[in-house]
Amino acid sequence: MALKLYGNPRSGCTTRVLTCLYEKHVEFELVPVDLFSGQHKSPAFLAKNPFGLVPVLEDGDLTIFESRAITEYICKKYTANGTDDLLCSSDLVKSTLVRTWVEVEAHYFQPAASPVIYQSFVAPLRGLPPDQKVIDENLEKIKKVLDIYEARLGETKYLAGESYSLADLHHLPYIFYLTRVEGFSGKMFGERPRVKGWWEDISSRAAFNKVVEGMKLEK
Amino acid sequence: MVVKVYGPDYASPKRVLVCLVEKGIEFKTVPVDLMKGENRDPEFLKLQPFGELPVIQDGDFTLFESRAIIRYYAEKYKHQGTELLGKSIEERGLIEQWIEVEAHSYHPPLYSLVMQVIFHPLLGLPQDEDLIAKSEAKLAKVLDVYEERLGRSKYLAGDEFSLADLSHIPFTHLLVTKVGKERLIRERKHVSTWWDAISSRPSWKKVSQL
C-alpha cells in the first residue's frame, strides 16, 4: 500500500518530507492541504494531527506528524532504499552525530529562518506589510549560526560527517526560500565559502530538484 | 569510563541525567555557572559551539543537544534498564513524533515562562507580562491536546513510559514549582495523572536530589 502524505508543496516542512521520500525512492501519494483556506484546522484534519500542522504521513494504520519524526521513520523503514543511508544507521556514533545536527537545525536554524520567510513572502500574500525589524533581527541570528556551520564544514564534508544525511537534507527548503530574499545569498555566502559550497552541493541533488518546482512562491 | 555531564543544575542537562539513571549508566557531573557566563568561556565553546547546556563527554566522544544525547544512550544501552524507544519501528515513530511535539510545541512557550518568571529577576531584567500571558495561553492549548491524547493512552506514545514522556520532566517540574503554574497541569485530569506517574519515577527523585 502506498504511503499518503498530507501537506502543501509550498510548505517548508512538507517539502522536507517530500525530498526524503524522493531520496529513498518510496512510492507515495501527496494529498494537498490548502493552508490559505484553513483546511489544516478543519475537524477532519485535526483528527490526524491535533496540532493542525502539515505534513502528516499515513502508512496503513499508522499516522505520524512532525516532519522530522516522519523523515526519521522513512529512513528507518527504508534503510536499504535509495543511494544513501541518510541516518548512517550502521554506526551508532555516526547516526548520533546526524541526530545532533538535526537538532541544531531544528533549534537554532529554523526558528530564525521561519520569521524571515514569513515576513518576506507570506505576509505580503496576506496583504500585510513585512516587519523589517523582525527580518533584520533574525538575519543576525542566522549569520551567527552560519558562522558555526562554516567552522564545522572545515572539519567535515557535510554537517554530521563525511556522508550526506538528514542533517543536511532538513535545511533544504528553508535555505531555498531564504535565497529568494533579496541580498541574502550575497550577505550570507559571500563571507562563508564552505557554507556556499555545501549549499550548492546539497541543493543540486536530484531528489530536491524534483520538489523545488512546486515551491515557487512568486505568482 | 564514566560519562561526564556538564551543567547538572539546569533543566536541559537534567533531561540527560534522568535518561542515564533509567538506563543504569554511571555518570559524573561538572558544574557550569550560567550566571557567571562560564558557558561563554573559549574552553567551553570548544565543546559546545553554541554555548548551551548540556554537553557530555564519554571518553573521546563529545555530544551536545539533550535530545540527541538521550537518544544516543537509549539506543546504545537498549538492552539495559528501562526500554525507552519502543519495540518496533512503528512504536519508535510515535515516540519520535511526541519528542518532536515536546521540542517544537511544548518547550518553546514553557521556556519563555521559565526565562521570564525565574531567570529575568535573577539577571535584573524586566519581565514582559504580555509575553508571559501569551506563553501561558499557548502552553494551555498544547496541554488540551495532551489531555485528549492521554485520555486514550497511559503515556504519550502508547501504554509504556518512553523517551517522549521523559523529555518533558525537568521543565514541567519548573512549571509546577518555581514558575508557579501548577494549575495548568492539575486542571486537566489525564495530564495530572500522567504528570504524577512520570514525576514519581525513582529516576526523577534521584536526579532532583543531586
Side-chain angles (χ1 to χ4, degrees), chain A residues 148-170:
Chain A
I148 293 176
Y149 286 18
E150 183 69 12
R152 173 66 180 167
L153 293 164
E155 295 163 6
T156 51
K157 189 174 177 197
Y158 295 100
L159 284 174
E162 296 309 310
S163 317
Y164 179 71
S165 75
L166 279 188
D168 310 288
L169 184 155
H170 282 178

PDB file of all heavy atoms in Angstrom, chain A residues 148-170:
ATOM      1  N   ILE A 148      28.996  29.176  12.683  1.00  0.00           N
ATOM      2  CA  ILE A 148      29.319  27.889  13.299  1.00  0.00           C
ATOM      3  C   ILE A 148      29.357  26.805  12.221  1.00  0.00           C
ATOM      4  O   ILE A 148      30.238  25.932  12.235  1.00  0.00           O
ATOM      5  CB  ILE A 148      28.316  27.577  14.425  1.00  0.00           C
ATOM      6  CG1 ILE A 148      28.516  28.589  15.565  1.00  0.00           C
ATOM      7  CG2 ILE A 148      28.472  26.140  14.931  1.00  0.00           C
ATOM      8  CD1 ILE A 148      27.533  28.480  16.712  1.00  0.00           C
ATOM      9  N   TYR A 149      28.439  26.857  11.275  1.00  0.00           N
ATOM     10  CA  TYR A 149      28.452  25.883  10.181  1.00  0.00           C
ATOM     11  C   TYR A 149      29.738  26.014   9.368  1.00  0.00           C
ATOM     12  O   TYR A 149      30.329  25.019   8.959  1.00  0.00           O
ATOM     13  CB  TYR A 149      27.257  26.093   9.241  1.00  0.00           C
ATOM     14  CG  TYR A 149      25.908  25.650   9.763  1.00  0.00           C
ATOM     15  CD1 TYR A 149      25.678  25.426  11.119  1.00  0.00           C
ATOM     16  CD2 TYR A 149      24.840  25.474   8.895  1.00  0.00           C
ATOM     17  CE1 TYR A 149      24.424  25.050  11.581  1.00  0.00           C
ATOM     18  CE2 TYR A 149      23.586  25.087   9.341  1.00  0.00           C
ATOM     19  CZ  TYR A 149      23.385  24.885  10.677  1.00  0.00           C
ATOM     20  OH  TYR A 149      22.136  24.512  11.127  1.00  0.00           O
ATOM     21  N   GLU A 150      30.166  27.250   9.128  1.00  0.00           N
ATOM     22  CA  GLU A 150      31.385  27.490   8.337  1.00  0.00           C
ATOM     23  C   GLU A 150      32.579  26.801   8.998  1.00  0.00           C
ATOM     24  O   GLU A 150      33.378  26.141   8.326  1.00  0.00           O
ATOM     25  CB  GLU A 150      31.625  29.001   8.198  1.00  0.00           C
ATOM     26  CG  GLU A 150      32.806  29.405   7.336  1.00  0.00           C
ATOM     27  CD  GLU A 150      32.650  29.133   5.832  1.00  0.00           C
ATOM     28  OE1 GLU A 150      31.515  28.823   5.392  1.00  0.00           O
ATOM     29  OE2 GLU A 150      33.653  29.220   5.119  1.00  0.00           O
ATOM     30  N   ALA A 151      32.663  26.923  10.334  1.00  0.00           N
ATOM     31  CA  ALA A 151      33.754  26.272  11.068  1.00  0.00           C
ATOM     32  C   ALA A 151      33.604  24.766  10.988  1.00  0.00           C
ATOM     33  O   ALA A 151      34.570  24.036  10.727  1.00  0.00           O
ATOM     34  CB  ALA A 151      33.766  26.734  12.520  1.00  0.00           C
ATOM     35  N   ARG A 152      32.401  24.287  11.190  1.00  0.00           N
ATOM     36  CA  ARG A 152      32.135  22.842  11.181  1.00  0.00           C
ATOM     37  C   ARG A 152      32.494  22.233   9.825  1.00  0.00           C
ATOM     38  O   ARG A 152      33.097  21.156   9.753  1.00  0.00           O
ATOM     39  CB  ARG A 152      30.650  22.612  11.497  1.00  0.00           C
ATOM     40  CG  ARG A 152      30.166  21.177  11.364  1.00  0.00           C
ATOM     41  CD  ARG A 152      30.790  20.263  12.369  1.00  0.00           C
ATOM     42  NE  ARG A 152      30.313  18.898  12.215  1.00  0.00           N
ATOM     43  CZ  ARG A 152      30.864  17.837  12.796  1.00  0.00           C
ATOM     44  NH1 ARG A 152      31.910  17.991  13.577  1.00  0.00           N
ATOM     45  NH2 ARG A 152      30.369  16.632  12.603  1.00  0.00           N
ATOM     46  N   LEU A 153      32.106  22.925   8.735  1.00  0.00           N
ATOM     47  CA  LEU A 153      32.334  22.380   7.394  1.00  0.00           C
ATOM     48  C   LEU A 153      33.799  22.456   6.982  1.00  0.00           C
ATOM     49  O   LEU A 153      34.177  21.969   5.919  1.00  0.00           O
ATOM     50  CB  LEU A 153      31.415  23.079   6.373  1.00  0.00           C
ATOM     51  CG  LEU A 153      29.923  22.778   6.569  1.00  0.00           C
ATOM     52  CD1 LEU A 153      29.052  23.782   5.811  1.00  0.00           C
ATOM     53  CD2 LEU A 153      29.572  21.352   6.134  1.00  0.00           C
ATOM     54  N   GLY A 154      34.619  23.059   7.834  1.00  0.00           N
ATOM     55  CA  GLY A 154      36.057  22.991   7.635  1.00  0.00           C
ATOM     56  C   GLY A 154      36.601  21.665   8.157  1.00  0.00           C
ATOM     57  O   GLY A 154      37.704  21.244   7.813  1.00  0.00           O
ATOM     58  N   GLU A 155      35.785  21.010   9.027  1.00  0.00           N
ATOM     59  CA  GLU A 155      36.238  19.738   9.609  1.00  0.00           C
ATOM     60  C   GLU A 155      35.662  18.538   8.880  1.00  0.00           C
ATOM     61  O   GLU A 155      36.252  17.463   8.863  1.00  0.00           O
ATOM     62  CB  GLU A 155      35.781  19.653  11.070  1.00  0.00           C
ATOM     63  CG  GLU A 155      36.405  20.687  11.981  1.00  0.00           C
ATOM     64  CD  GLU A 155      35.646  20.843  13.292  1.00  0.00           C
ATOM     65  OE1 GLU A 155      34.691  20.065  13.543  1.00  0.00           O
ATOM     66  OE2 GLU A 155      35.997  21.739  14.062  1.00  0.00           O
ATOM     67  N   THR A 156      34.446  18.695   8.353  1.00  0.00           N
ATOM     68  CA  THR A 156      33.768  17.569   7.701  1.00  0.00           C
ATOM     69  C   THR A 156      33.101  18.064   6.426  1.00  0.00           C
ATOM     70  O   THR A 156      32.808  19.242   6.292  1.00  0.00           O
ATOM     71  CB  THR A 156      32.662  17.007   8.622  1.00  0.00           C
ATOM     72  OG1 THR A 156      31.822  18.089   9.055  1.00  0.00           O
ATOM     73  CG2 THR A 156      33.241  16.302   9.842  1.00  0.00           C
ATOM     74  N   LYS A 157      32.846  17.106   5.513  1.00  0.00           N
ATOM     75  CA  LYS A 157      32.278  17.490   4.213  1.00  0.00           C
ATOM     76  C   LYS A 157      30.811  17.917   4.341  1.00  0.00           C
ATOM     77  O   LYS A 157      30.360  18.826   3.649  1.00  0.00           O
ATOM     78  CB  LYS A 157      32.408  16.308   3.249  1.00  0.00           C
ATOM     79  CG  LYS A 157      32.052  16.662   1.831  1.00  0.00           C
ATOM     80  CD  LYS A 157      32.315  15.529   0.861  1.00  0.00           C
ATOM     81  CE  LYS A 157      31.841  16.002  -0.539  1.00  0.00           C
ATOM     82  NZ  LYS A 157      31.665  14.915  -1.462  1.00  0.00           N
ATOM     83  N   TYR A 158      30.094  17.196   5.207  1.00  0.00           N
ATOM     84  CA  TYR A 158      28.701  17.528   5.473  1.00  0.00           C
ATOM     85  C   TYR A 158      28.576  17.803   6.975  1.00  0.00           C
ATOM     86  O   TYR A 158      29.522  17.617   7.723  1.00  0.00           O
ATOM     87  CB  TYR A 158      27.790  16.372   5.043  1.00  0.00           C
ATOM     88  CG  TYR A 158      27.825  16.134   3.548  1.00  0.00           C
ATOM     89  CD1 TYR A 158      28.601  15.119   2.992  1.00  0.00           C
ATOM     90  CD2 TYR A 158      27.077  16.947   2.686  1.00  0.00           C
ATOM     91  CE1 TYR A 158      28.641  14.921   1.619  1.00  0.00           C
ATOM     92  CE2 TYR A 158      27.115  16.751   1.309  1.00  0.00           C
ATOM     93  CZ  TYR A 158      27.893  15.742   0.782  1.00  0.00           C
ATOM     94  OH  TYR A 158      27.931  15.547  -0.575  1.00  0.00           O
ATOM     95  N   LEU A 159      27.387  18.226   7.413  1.00  0.00           N
ATOM     96  CA  LEU A 159      27.285  18.687   8.798  1.00  0.00           C
ATOM     97  C   LEU A 159      27.600  17.599   9.813  1.00  0.00           C
ATOM     98  O   LEU A 159      28.263  17.843  10.813  1.00  0.00           O
ATOM     99  CB  LEU A 159      25.902  19.275   9.076  1.00  0.00           C
ATOM    100  CG  LEU A 159      25.670  20.675   8.497  1.00  0.00           C
ATOM    101  CD1 LEU A 159      24.223  21.095   8.700  1.00  0.00           C
ATOM    102  CD2 LEU A 159      26.601  21.700   9.130  1.00  0.00           C
ATOM    103  N   ALA A 160      27.101  16.373   9.569  1.00  0.00           N
ATOM    104  CA  ALA A 160      27.272  15.333  10.583  1.00  0.00           C
ATOM    105  C   ALA A 160      28.526  14.498  10.363  1.00  0.00           C
ATOM    106  O   ALA A 160      28.886  13.698  11.212  1.00  0.00           O
ATOM    107  CB  ALA A 160      26.045  14.430  10.617  1.00  0.00           C
ATOM    108  N   GLY A 161      29.167  14.656   9.219  1.00  0.00           N
ATOM    109  CA  GLY A 161      30.335  13.818   8.931  1.00  0.00           C
ATOM    110  C   GLY A 161      30.633  13.821   7.441  1.00  0.00           C
ATOM    111  O   GLY A 161      30.335  14.798   6.746  1.00  0.00           O
ATOM    112  N   GLU A 162      31.194  12.729   6.956  1.00  0.00           N
ATOM    113  CA  GLU A 162      31.619  12.704   5.553  1.00  0.00           C
ATOM    114  C   GLU A 162      30.511  12.321   4.590  1.00  0.00           C
ATOM    115  O   GLU A 162      30.675  12.388   3.375  1.00  0.00           O
ATOM    116  CB  GLU A 162      32.813  11.751   5.378  1.00  0.00           C
ATOM    117  CG  GLU A 162      34.069  12.206   6.124  1.00  0.00           C
ATOM    118  CD  GLU A 162      34.451  13.658   5.827  1.00  0.00           C
ATOM    119  OE1 GLU A 162      34.518  14.034   4.637  1.00  0.00           O
ATOM    120  OE2 GLU A 162      34.665  14.435   6.789  1.00  0.00           O
ATOM    121  N   SER A 163      29.360  11.869   5.103  1.00  0.00           N
ATOM    122  CA  SER A 163      28.260  11.480   4.211  1.00  0.00           C
ATOM    123  C   SER A 163      27.087  12.437   4.322  1.00  0.00           C
ATOM    124  O   SER A 163      26.791  12.957   5.405  1.00  0.00           O
ATOM    125  CB  SER A 163      27.723  10.092   4.586  1.00  0.00           C
ATOM    126  OG  SER A 163      28.756   9.217   4.852  1.00  0.00           O
ATOM    127  N   TYR A 164      26.396  12.624   3.210  1.00  0.00           N
ATOM    128  CA  TYR A 164      25.142  13.389   3.178  1.00  0.00           C
ATOM    129  C   TYR A 164      24.127  12.693   4.080  1.00  0.00           C
ATOM    130  O   TYR A 164      24.013  11.469   4.082  1.00  0.00           O
ATOM    131  CB  TYR A 164      24.631  13.425   1.738  1.00  0.00           C
ATOM    132  CG  TYR A 164      23.332  14.158   1.532  1.00  0.00           C
ATOM    133  CD1 TYR A 164      23.267  15.553   1.631  1.00  0.00           C
ATOM    134  CD2 TYR A 164      22.157  13.470   1.214  1.00  0.00           C
ATOM    135  CE1 TYR A 164      22.078  16.232   1.421  1.00  0.00           C
ATOM    136  CE2 TYR A 164      20.975  14.141   1.004  1.00  0.00           C
ATOM    137  CZ  TYR A 164      20.935  15.520   1.105  1.00  0.00           C
ATOM    138  OH  TYR A 164      19.757  16.184   0.897  1.00  0.00           O
ATOM    139  N   SER A 165      23.401  13.474   4.898  1.00  0.00           N
ATOM    140  CA  SER A 165      22.467  12.871   5.837  1.00  0.00           C
ATOM    141  C   SER A 165      21.236  13.751   6.002  1.00  0.00           C
ATOM    142  O   SER A 165      21.146  14.836   5.436  1.00  0.00           O
ATOM    143  CB  SER A 165      23.133  12.678   7.192  1.00  0.00           C
ATOM    144  OG  SER A 165      23.234  13.930   7.858  1.00  0.00           O
ATOM    145  N   LEU A 166      20.326  13.277   6.834  1.00  0.00           N
ATOM    146  CA  LEU A 166      19.124  14.056   7.156  1.00  0.00           C
ATOM    147  C   LEU A 166      19.489  15.428   7.724  1.00  0.00           C
ATOM    148  O   LEU A 166      18.746  16.390   7.556  1.00  0.00           O
ATOM    149  CB  LEU A 166      18.254  13.316   8.181  1.00  0.00           C
ATOM    150  CG  LEU A 166      17.337  12.209   7.670  1.00  0.00           C
ATOM    151  CD1 LEU A 166      16.415  11.731   8.803  1.00  0.00           C
ATOM    152  CD2 LEU A 166      16.492  12.650   6.489  1.00  0.00           C
ATOM    153  N   ALA A 167      20.608  15.520   8.424  1.00  0.00           N
ATOM    154  CA  ALA A 167      21.014  16.806   8.998  1.00  0.00           C
ATOM    155  C   ALA A 167      21.175  17.872   7.906  1.00  0.00           C
ATOM    156  O   ALA A 167      20.806  19.029   8.080  1.00  0.00           O
ATOM    157  CB  ALA A 167      22.315  16.662   9.783  1.00  0.00           C
ATOM    158  N   ASP A 168      21.710  17.481   6.763  1.00  0.00           N
ATOM    159  CA  ASP A 168      21.855  18.419   5.631  1.00  0.00           C
ATOM    160  C   ASP A 168      20.498  18.601   4.942  1.00  0.00           C
ATOM    161  O   ASP A 168      20.053  19.718   4.692  1.00  0.00           O
ATOM    162  CB  ASP A 168      22.864  17.877   4.613  1.00  0.00           C
ATOM    163  CG  ASP A 168      24.168  17.447   5.270  1.00  0.00           C
ATOM    164  OD1 ASP A 168      24.929  18.330   5.702  1.00  0.00           O
ATOM    165  OD2 ASP A 168      24.394  16.220   5.377  1.00  0.00           O
ATOM    166  N   LEU A 169      19.814  17.475   4.663  1.00  0.00           N
ATOM    167  CA  LEU A 169      18.548  17.493   3.926  1.00  0.00           C
ATOM    168  C   LEU A 169      17.524  18.407   4.575  1.00  0.00           C
ATOM    169  O   LEU A 169      16.804  19.148   3.913  1.00  0.00           O
ATOM    170  CB  LEU A 169      18.005  16.061   3.820  1.00  0.00           C
ATOM    171  CG  LEU A 169      16.731  15.817   3.007  1.00  0.00           C
ATOM    172  CD1 LEU A 169      16.688  14.368   2.508  1.00  0.00           C
ATOM    173  CD2 LEU A 169      15.469  16.110   3.809  1.00  0.00           C
ATOM    174  N   HIS A 170      17.458  18.359   5.911  1.00  0.00           N
ATOM    175  CA  HIS A 170      16.420  19.125   6.620  1.00  0.00           C
ATOM    176  C   HIS A 170      16.525  20.627   6.360  1.00  0.00           C
ATOM    177  O   HIS A 170      15.550  21.349   6.531  1.00  0.00           O
ATOM    178  CB  HIS A 170      16.487  18.845   8.120  1.00  0.00           C
ATOM    179  CG  HIS A 170      15.881  17.530   8.507  1.00  0.00           C
ATOM    180  ND1 HIS A 170      15.870  17.075   9.799  1.00  0.00           N
ATOM    181  CD2 HIS A 170      15.254  16.578   7.782  1.00  0.00           C
ATOM    182  CE1 HIS A 170      15.264  15.892   9.849  1.00  0.00           C
ATOM    183  NE2 HIS A 170      14.887  15.569   8.648  1.00  0.00           N
TER     184      HIS A 170
END
